[in-house]
Amino acid sequence: MYDLAKLLHLVSAIVWMGGMTFMLFALRPAALALLEPQPRARLMGAVWQRFFRLVLVAVVVLFATGSHLYTTAFKAAKAATGVGSVPLGWNLMLGLGLLMMLAFGHIYFAGFAKFRRAVAAAEWPQAAQAAGQIHKLVVLNFVLGWLAIASVRLVH
Ligand code: HEM
């Protein structure tokens, strides 16, 4: 069970981190270089709609599997030594992971909702502002995600 949970945890992390890498380093710069603001907003809206749904699933799976990994090891340590403890890096992953989930909630339920309303109403300056907010939070999650992964590997 532990191994299956860890595999699903990794798959979800790869989907989320890989999607952000593609968006930040390939899709966004190419769309900025080649498309006018309106078709660019429509493209990014259609891309985000698909990608953010995947991230919603990834967030649920990461949280469920991460909690399972964490509590299983915590209980095993308690049974073996009388003290429940996990490596510091795991606590960092828990904290950074929760922050990422909050930031994603903000992206999806605030920024993206605002972006969609603005595009539907053809209010392009507001759409650009919401897109800027989404971009900043995606950069934040990209950095937090790598910090979380580095913590769990390097901090003991
Ligand atoms: C709050 C939610 C989270 C919790 C409770 C959590 C918990 C954990 C734990 C306990 C491990 C260590 C498992 C082991 O070494 O046997 C782990 C590994 C890992 N986590 Fe998370 N995690 C969370 C969120 C995330 C997020 C948001 C990402 C990245 C997007 C992520 C990516 C990874 C990766 C890549 C590993 C594997 C590292 C390795 O190969 O050892 N986790 N997680």
Side-chain angles (χ1 to χ4, degrees), residues 2 6 9-10 13 62 66 90 93-94 100-101 152-153:
Y2 192 93
K6 194 156 172 183
H9 197 75
L10 272 176
L62 277 166
W90 289 28
M93 165 149 282
L94 171 63
M100 288 175 74
M101 291 168 191
V152 92
R153 296 291 328 184

Side-chain angles (χ1 to χ4, degrees), residues 53-151:
R53 268 196 221 132
L54 282 175
V55 177
L56 267 181
V57 177
V59 162
V60 172
V61 176
L62 277 166
F63 186 74
T65 55
S67 309
H68 176 76
L69 299 174
Y70 187 102
T71 51
T72 304
F74 187 89
K75 282 182 200 153
K78 191 154 191 185
T81 63
V83 191
S85 76
V86 292
L88 173 63
W90 289 28
N91 285 317
L92 288 172
M93 165 149 282
L94 171 63
L96 292 166
L98 289 176
L99 274 181
M100 288 175 74
M101 291 168 191
L102 280 178
F104 178 70
H106 215 73
I107 290 175
Y108 193 71
F109 297 107
F112 187 50
K114 214 186 295 168
F115 177 85
R116 271 200 301 200
R117 275 197 306 272
V119 170
E123 291 168 345
W124 303 109
Q126 284 87 335
Q129 197 189 5
Q133 184 189 358
I134 291 171
H135 172 66
K136 277 192 206 127
L137 288 170
V138 172
V139 170
L140 174 73
N141 266 350
F142 184 74
V143 172
L144 292 178
W146 284 118
L147 285 176
I149 292 170
S151 303

